[in-house]
Amino acid sequence: MNPDKPTYILWLPSWYPNKLEPYDGDFIQRHALAVSAFIPVHVVHFVRDKGKIITNSVFVEEKKTGNLTETIVYYSNQISSRGIIEKISSVGKFRSLYRKIIHDLFLKKGLPSLVHVHIAFKAGLVARWIRKKYAIQFFLSEHWTIYLAEARPNFKDLNYFKRYLISKIVKDASKVFPVSNYLGQAIRKRWPDVSYEVVPNVVDIKVFYPGERSVDETCHLIHISNLNYQKDPEKLFRAIKLLKAAGFKFFLDVFGTRNESIKSQINGYGIEDVVTFHQEVPQRILAEHLRNSDALILYSRYETFGCVIIEANACGIPVIVADIPVMHELVRQNENGVLVSPGSAEALADAVINVFNDRKFSKQNIVRSAKLYSYAEVGKLIFDEYLSLGTSNSG
């Protein structure tokens, strides 16, 4: 990219906030905001409206915030029957739609300096077509747990068609940006020739910042996740049961999905009086809850990063996490959190008691650890990667 010829970067995310899923890929949107401080970014995101809630055909909405333009394209399939015919029709509509949308964008705005894909499938299909037709290179950012061997599901669980297409996308990318080295190594195990550079997630320090709260004898804990297999809710709630049985004074705020399985666990452990569930909320509200907590718990089986960790740290509170490989990239033992032996409710319960009773963490040091993930730091990192490509695709 030629820094002397200002242009724009086309972002093609597979996940992105939209009317049907307001929080889907919100971490990618934060990346876009960070980068737009350095160069104009135009996001184009395609959303299949299976239930025809937004449209019976095609609906395009556009929003501009400073240097960031977001175009969300909703589309539905005219064929309502399920099966191979409907799938073929949907694929065909997506293919013709993205070609028209991108063609019209380029006519109106000119060619971008380069394309940046977030999550290979299926936005990477659009990037490969642009690369072939317009000779514009693309970068690929990855957050997806699918590449981790321990994940459920993982790459081998995808059908052959998806595995084939993802392989093509990864191989064609000029560079891959995993959000952690652990994820980068997992990708490289499958594609040894991949060139990658770690680009972590970001935290908005204008929203997540430390506050003051009075210290009392009750420990305020918080957990933020969708409570699926990856997050190991059973061990979390077993630890809560142990804490209650030990007479430890606490309560836990959970921001996540409360399905029937989770309800059954809560009732079975008899902890409904110390656990409060909340729906997904805007970040400013989540930040308030973090500031009023003593510690965040994220006791996952596996992760590629952990946005809630840097958000908690930005608010000045320590994190209690499972001692899995990726956490060593984010957590320094007894500085901004504690690493706990994985798979043990007893170890987790002990860690909670120790963190609360010791109160040995320096809020200033915790907050400092999160500044590495600010919009300014990560936005500049991505912009420098754009500049390093050293070519301009304009004209």
Side-chain angles (χ1 to χ4, degrees):
M1 187 180 77
N2 188 343
D4 296 325
K5 294 182 179 180
T7 177
Y8 70 101
I9 308 298
L10 174 63
W11 277 38
L12 298 172
S14 295
W15 309 338
Y16 205 76
N18 59 82
K19 288 180 176 179
L20 296 177
E21 296 183 85
Y23 299 103
D24 186 36
D26 57 354
F27 44 84
I28 297 173
Q29 186 179 52
R30 294 194 288 274
H31 261 158
L33 286 165
V35 175
S36 69
F38 297 89
I39 190 170
V41 171
H42 194 130
V43 174
V44 177
H45 178 52
F46 296 88
V47 182
R48 184 183 173 193
D49 185 2
K50 292 182 181 180
K52 299 183 179 180
I53 296 171
I54 304 297
T55 180
N56 289 321
S57 181
V58 176
F59 176 72
V60 180
E61 64 175 357
E62 189 163 296
K63 176 184 175 184
K64 187 171 177 61
T65 307
N67 264 345
L68 174 62
T69 304
E70 297 166 302
T71 300
I72 311 297
V73 183
Y74 301 88
Y75 69 97
S76 61
N77 196 4
Q78 296 301 313
I79 299 178
S80 57
S81 62
R82 295 184 178 183
I84 188 66
I85 295 177
E86 189 274 338
K87 288 183 179 179
I88 292 173
S89 174
S90 179
V91 169
K93 181 156 190 177
F94 173 65
R95 185 171 180 267
S96 62
L97 182 60
Y98 76 64
R99 291 186 177 199
K100 180 183 186 307
I101 294 291
I102 296 300
H103 175 73
D104 290 349
L105 174 65
F106 289 177
L107 282 179
K108 177 182 177 182
K109 202 167 182 175
L111 298 181
S113 291
L114 57 88
V115 175
H116 192 159
V117 175
H118 288 260
I119 314 297
F121 193 82
K122 58 186 177 177
L125 302 176
V126 186
R128 290 189 75 232
W129 173 74
I130 292 172
R131 181 175 180 264
K132 181 177 180 180
K133 183 173 179 63
Y134 298 97
I136 301 174
Q137 301 179 64
F138 70 90
F139 286 151
L140 169 65
S141 280
E142 268 301 352
H143 310 248
W144 208 0
T145 58
I146 205 81
Y147 303 104
L148 305 183
E150 66 270 31
R152 292 188 185 179
N154 63 26
F155 190 77
K156 64 180 174 50
D157 296 314
L158 300 176
N159 63 51
Y160 171 80
F161 185 62
K162 279 190 179 179
R163 295 199 308 270
Y164 173 80
L165 291 175
I166 290 173
S167 292
K168 287 287 189 182
I169 293 164
V170 172
K171 289 177 181 179
D172 284 350
S174 296
K175 186 176 277 190
V176 176
F177 299 143
V179 289
S180 63
N181 188 57
Y182 184 64
L183 176 57
Q185 289 297 317
I187 292 172
R188 185 169 280 173
K189 282 181 183 177
R190 188 166 297 278
W191 298 284
D193 295 330
V194 162
S195 172
Y196 81 83
E197 189 74 32
V198 174
V199 175
N201 278 304
V202 297
V203 58
D204 188 348
I205 58 176
K206 292 181 180 178
V207 173
F208 294 93
Y209 53 83
E212 296 297 330
R213 59 179 290 264
S214 57
V215 176
D216 57 46
E217 295 180 356
T218 300
C219 178
H220 301 203
L221 299 170
I222 186 169
H223 174 82
I224 307 162
S225 83
N226 57 11
L227 295 170
N228 62 4
Y229 170 82
Q230 174 188 344
K231 308 300 180 179
D232 202 357
E234 184 179 353
K235 298 294 189 311
L236 170 64
F237 295 132
R238 267 194 62 208
I240 295 303
K241 176 187 176 182
L242 293 171
L243 289 170
K244 181 180 176 181
F248 184 64
K249 295 179 65 175
F250 76 101
F251 64 82
L252 171 67
D253 281 312
V254 177
F255 288 82
T257 305
R258 190 184 183 188
N259 56 30
E260 290 303 316
S261 173
I262 296 301
K263 288 179 183 178
S264 177
Q265 290 182 47
I266 296 293
N267 294 333
Y269 287 138
I271 56 175
E272 57 273 12
D273 58 324
V274 292
V275 178
T276 302
F277 279 86
H278 307 264
Q279 297 298 317
E280 285 186 291
V281 295
Q283 286 213 310
R284 58 179 180 79
I285 296 176
L286 188 62
E288 284 294 333
H289 282 272
L290 282 167
R291 279 190 283 273
N292 288 312
S293 301
D294 290 295
L296 168 88
I297 299 177
L298 186 67
Y299 200 59
S300 304
R301 288 182 165 97
Y302 54 88
E303 293 283 354
T304 60
F305 190 79
C307 291
V308 294
I309 292 174
I310 60 176
E311 290 167 354
N313 283 169
C315 290
I317 72 167
V319 297
I320 302 170
V321 301
D323 190 358
I324 54 177
V326 72
M327 291 303 165
H328 289 262
E329 299 180 43
L330 298 171
V331 179
R332 291 182 296 282
Q333 187 76 319
N334 297 322
E335 289 188 25
N336 62 328
V338 295
L339 298 153
V340 184
S341 297
S344 170
E346 293 77 12
L348 178 56
D350 287 344
V352 169
I353 293 172
N354 291 335
V355 166
F356 184 69
N357 288 342
D358 291 350
R359 300 179 187 270
K360 59 188 174 184
F361 289 92
S362 162
K363 180 179 287 189
Q364 184 178 12
N365 290 341
I366 292 174
V367 173
R368 187 181 298 118
S369 71
K371 289 185 178 178
L372 295 171
Y373 308 102
S374 69
Y375 280 24
E377 291 287 336
V378 178
K380 180 66 161 55
L381 176 62
I382 298 174
F383 179 61
D384 287 345
E385 287 291 341
Y386 293 163
L387 293 178
S388 73
L389 194 58
T391 60
S392 174
N393 296 294
S394 312

